[in-house]
């Protein structure tokens, strides 16, 4: 039995007959499953001989009618699609960039029966220190990564995949201690730089590989497949 057939069988067991009736439109769950598999295959990046990195965050865009029909069952469908993708990843030796999530959205430019799949890699981020809005404002400078914001205060912090990092990024392309963001103050203004700590895949600042570089407001530091954006607040 193929993977898509197993997916359909699990879906039938998970929901009532009302689900099948809701999907008499042109968009079928198995079509979405197949499209997600293709999206993963087409986006795979080589990490090593037997490991390839793939996106972990997916958005399935639907027409208004298909979205309305699917919405009552979206949580069950998402759960089964995630399980299917995990099976596919195991078979193909893929490594997800972080926790897998699938959401459904409504798009006005799609007709009934048409859909799109978008994806990106978003590693899970955790910090040893909580960064509140107040802490970020007081720091005057912060790092934004995958939707979360973290205050940068002297002397700075280490980012990496290992548990010893101050800011932990669960990205397979990130070294355990990948880079250090150094912060100092001169006349009250923060000065920020980044230093690569001998990482395997290197550190890029605005697309340029560096060993060490000063950072300004809006500077983008890429480690592995994760972007960290430096932001200065008005209070700085």
């Amino acid at each position: 039995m193929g993977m898509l057939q197993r997916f359909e069988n699990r879906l039938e067991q998970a929901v009532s007959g009302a689900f099948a009736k809701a999907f008499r439109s042109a968009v079928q769950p198995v079509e979405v499953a197949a499209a997600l598999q293709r999206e993963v295959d087409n986006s795979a990046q080589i990490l090593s001989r037997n490991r390839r990195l793939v996106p972990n965050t997916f958005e399935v865009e639907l027409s208004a009618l298909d979205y309305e029909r699917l919405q009552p069952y979206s949580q069950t469908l998402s759960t089964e699609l995630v399980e299917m993708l995990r099976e596919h990843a195991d078979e193909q030796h893929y490594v997800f960039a972080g926790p897998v999530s699938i959401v459904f959205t409504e798009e006005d430019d799609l007709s009934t029966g048409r859909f799109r799949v978008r994806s990106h890699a978003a590693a899970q981020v955790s910090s040893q220190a909580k960064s509140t809005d107040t802490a970020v404002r007081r720091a005057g400078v912060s790092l934004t990564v995958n939707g979360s914001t973290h205050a940068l205060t002297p002397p700075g912090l280490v980012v990496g995949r290992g548990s010893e990092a101050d800011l932990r990024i669960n990205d397979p392309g990130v070294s355990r201690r990948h880079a250090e963001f150094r912060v100092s103050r001169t006349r009250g203004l923060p000065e920020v730089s980044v230093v690569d700590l001998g990482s395997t895949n290197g550190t890029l600042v605005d697309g340029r590989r560096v060993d060490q570089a000063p950072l300004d407001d809006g500077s983008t530091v890429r480690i592995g497949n994760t972007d960290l954006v430096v932001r200065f607040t008005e209070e700085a």
Side-chain angles (χ1 to χ4, degrees), residues 25-231:
S25 63
V27 172
Q28 299 295 319
V30 69
E31 292 178 322
V32 176
L36 286 166
Q37 281 191 9
R38 289 194 299 271
E39 181 71 13
V40 166
D41 292 338
N42 293 336
S43 303
Q45 302 177 42
I46 296 175
L47 285 176
S48 62
R49 183 177 178 180
N50 295 317
R51 296 169 72 241
R52 285 179 288 176
L53 181 71
V54 294
N56 61 304
T57 301
F58 302 88
E59 181 178 0
V60 180
E61 300 177 349
L62 299 161
S63 69
L65 181 58
D66 285 321
Y67 180 80
E68 181 182 356
R69 290 172 173 173
L70 176 147
Q71 187 56 30
Y73 315 100
S74 59
Q75 184 173 355
T76 298
L77 181 56
S78 293
T79 299
E80 295 301 329
L81 286 169
V82 167
E83 180 63 25
M84 181 275 301
L85 283 180
R86 292 192 183 282
E87 291 181 13
H88 183 59
D90 287 342
E91 289 187 0
Q92 300 299 321
H93 304 290
Y94 292 152
V95 177
F96 288 113
V100 182
S101 66
I102 300 172
V103 297
F104 299 91
T105 61
E106 177 183 340
E107 298 296 332
D108 295 335
D109 66 322
L110 292 173
S111 58
T112 302
R114 306 280 293 180
F115 68 94
R116 283 190 299 261
V117 173
R118 301 185 188 276
S119 68
H120 68 277
Q124 185 176 16
V125 180
S126 58
S127 175
Q128 293 189 14
K130 292 184 178 180
S131 281
T132 63
D133 291 342
T134 300
V136 169
R137 287 195 302 270
R138 288 177 177 174
V141 61
S142 63
L143 280 178
T144 299
V145 51
N146 291 348
S148 62
T149 301
H150 306 268
L152 277 177
T153 57
L157 55 80
V158 171
V159 297
R161 185 167 45 84
S163 58
E164 66 271 26
D166 301 304
L167 186 62
R168 187 178 183 185
I169 301 176
N170 188 25
D171 178 336
V174 172
S175 297
R176 295 185 64 82
R177 284 173 52 88
H178 195 110
E180 182 180 5
F181 287 81
R182 295 178 178 173
V183 184
S184 61
R185 286 185 176 272
T186 302
R187 299 175 185 174
L189 296 175
E191 294 182 358
V192 184
S193 63
V194 64
V195 179
D196 185 84
L197 299 178
S199 66
T200 301
N201 296 315
T203 298
L204 281 70
V205 175
D206 297 329
R208 180 174 60 91
R209 185 160 181 162
V210 301
D211 293 323
Q212 180 172 350
L215 302 174
D216 300 314
D217 182 35
S219 292
T220 299
V221 178
R222 169 161 280 236
I223 60 174
N225 290 273
T226 300
D227 289 335
L228 302 94
V229 181
V230 178
R231 293 296 182 192

